[in-house]
Amino acid sequence: MRAARLIKMVLLLQSRPSMTAAELARELEVSERTVTRDAQALSEAGVPVYADRGRAGGYRLIGGYRTRLTGLARGEAEALFLSGVPGALREMGLDDAASAARLKVSAALLPSLRDASRTAAQRFHLDAPGWFREPRTPELLPAIAEAVWDDRVLRVEYRRRDRQEDPVERELEPYGLVLKAGVWYLAAAVRGGDGTRVYRVDRFTSVASAGDDRFVRDEEFDLPAFWEERAAQFARAILRAEVVVRLTADGVRQLPYATDPASAREAMESAGAADTDGRVTVTLPVESEEVAYTQLMALGPEAEVVAPEALRERFALAAGRMRAWYG
């Protein structure tokens, strides 16, 4: 455990000019006192770790010290080759660069580990798009990806959800790309605007670089955390209606698979005790009555819609038709 932590500490210091004890403690998930002891242990082992004192001080490596990749274990080497997503890299136009990087890493590994890329590929494959949909790569994705890597301002035309509208023009500071269920999204700030927004890449109708104009990236921007927050906000925002449903025990078990899992969890957390028939009444957040009809129909006789009345009548009509068919 400690050996792995010491290696990680060296790699962190190798990748940055200097790091404070607090920064190292946060990255290594230990106390600052442990960082001090680890730095001393590295120094005694011949690794030139130097500590600068004072408020602006920190730890750094001196003498151009570099470690080698020959210390990787097989599991670590295989995980390294899993870190790239081949399909996504290809769609962004980075397949050649990724291939060259993999070759360089392979050449730096011990001979016994150079088959790590092959063994990893045989054991794991990511197929991002959902079932029953043909994945399509947005034509403008490579140009956007290039701007993201270069922190280059983009002049774009973007079509809103209503396809009848004329595209809007924007100057964007592209912070990062996200691939979600086969759909590409861009997190970007409007030039001169406030905050970061999300754009579907397939709705861009025009993308052009704003000359050599680059933006200064906010170093505190965290793309995974930003996306997690926005995704949660979006999932909750589309649940604009509610339906009251009485569920059997099987219906309770099946509800998260028929509807939005978070919505089902929220409904069950606020549900009361089961009635004398063993059924539980829940208030379920849904996108619309139309969507609720499609989702709850999958539960069949395990769910009874109580309200709204119009939706209940629709289920009663459907039940009558099914009874006539199977009568």
Side-chain angles (χ1 to χ4, degrees):
M1 180 71 177
R2 190 190 185 200
R5 190 175 71 242
L6 292 174
I7 292 172
K8 184 176 180 180
M9 184 174 179
V10 172
L11 293 174
L12 284 169
L13 293 174
Q14 184 174 295
S15 64
R16 308 180 193 181
S18 176
M19 293 185 71
T20 66
E23 290 171 336
L24 284 167
R26 186 166 54 252
E27 291 280 356
L28 299 172
E29 298 181 350
V30 296
S31 67
E32 293 186 32
R33 181 172 296 181
T34 299
V35 169
T36 301
R37 288 199 298 264
D38 286 352
Q40 183 176 353
L42 286 171
S43 181
E44 292 173 354
V47 178
V49 178
Y50 180 77
D52 289 316
R53 305 296 180 184
R55 290 184 60 186
Y59 292 92
R60 60 186 176 89
L61 294 174
I62 60 175
Y65 180 85
R66 307 286 294 179
T67 188
R68 295 176 61 85
L69 288 173
T70 50
L72 284 175
R74 170 165 290 278
E76 294 169 331
E78 290 174 343
L80 177 64
F81 285 103
L82 286 178
S83 62
V85 185
L89 292 171
R90 183 173 57 252
E91 291 182 8
M92 288 189 292
L94 299 173
D95 196 33
D96 290 343
S99 177
R102 286 192 293 269
L103 286 173
K104 290 178 180 179
V105 171
S106 294
L109 291 171
L110 290 171
S112 60
L113 299 180
R114 287 178 186 166
D115 65 340
S117 62
R118 181 179 59 84
T119 58
Q122 289 174 342
R123 288 164 174 79
F124 181 83
H125 174 70
L126 176 64
D127 185 9
W131 288 103
F132 312 118
R133 60 180 300 171
E134 187 67 28
R136 293 191 302 174
T137 303
E139 182 180 347
L140 300 174
L141 178 61
I144 294 173
E146 184 177 353
V148 169
W149 286 114
D150 291 343
D151 295 339
R152 192 181 298 274
V153 177
L154 285 175
R155 292 194 181 100
V156 304
E157 291 184 351
Y158 185 75
R159 185 184 62 247
R160 298 183 189 273
R161 181 176 300 181
D162 184 354
R163 294 172 179 261
Q164 303 304 316
E165 292 183 2
D166 292 331
V168 296
E169 296 183 359
R170 294 282 188 273
E171 278 201 354
L172 298 181
E173 298 175 352
Y175 270 80
L177 286 162
V178 175
L179 177 60
K180 169 71 171 180
V183 180
W184 284 96
Y185 297 88
L186 174 68
V190 177
R191 199 77 188 275
D194 187 21
T196 306
R197 305 179 185 180
V198 175
Y199 300 86
R200 275 187 59 144
V201 173
D202 58 6
R203 290 186 185 153
F204 286 106
T205 59
S206 172
V207 169
S209 176
D212 293 327
D213 196 2
R214 286 180 167 82
F215 66 95
V216 178
R217 179 177 288 267
D218 179 0
E219 295 301 329
E220 295 184 0
F221 178 77
D222 184 332
L223 181 60
F226 168 81
W227 177 258
E228 182 178 2
E229 180 183 352
R230 285 302 177 90
Q233 289 176 357
F234 173 76
R236 194 65 188 87
I238 64 174
L239 302 177
R240 301 186 182 92
E242 289 183 342
V243 297
V244 180
V245 187
R246 191 175 291 124
L247 301 167
T248 65
D250 283 340
V252 169
R253 286 191 291 271
Q254 296 172 23
L255 187 65
Y257 303 100
T259 64
D260 174 67
S263 174
R265 184 170 58 252
E266 178 182 327
M268 294 309 305
E269 287 174 351
S270 60
D275 61 19
T276 55
D277 294 327
R279 297 193 297 173
V280 177
T281 300
V282 301
T283 300
L284 180 71
V286 294
E287 184 175 347
S288 65
E289 289 187 19
E290 184 66 34
V291 171
Y293 176 79
T294 303
Q295 293 176 336
L296 296 175
M297 185 62 75
L299 297 180
E302 311 306 329
E304 176 196 359
V305 173
V306 178
E309 186 61 30
L311 185 60
R312 179 179 173 86
E313 291 176 358
R314 188 172 179 183
F315 269 87
L317 178 61
R321 292 172 61 194
M322 292 182 69
R323 183 177 181 179
W325 291 338
Y326 292 101

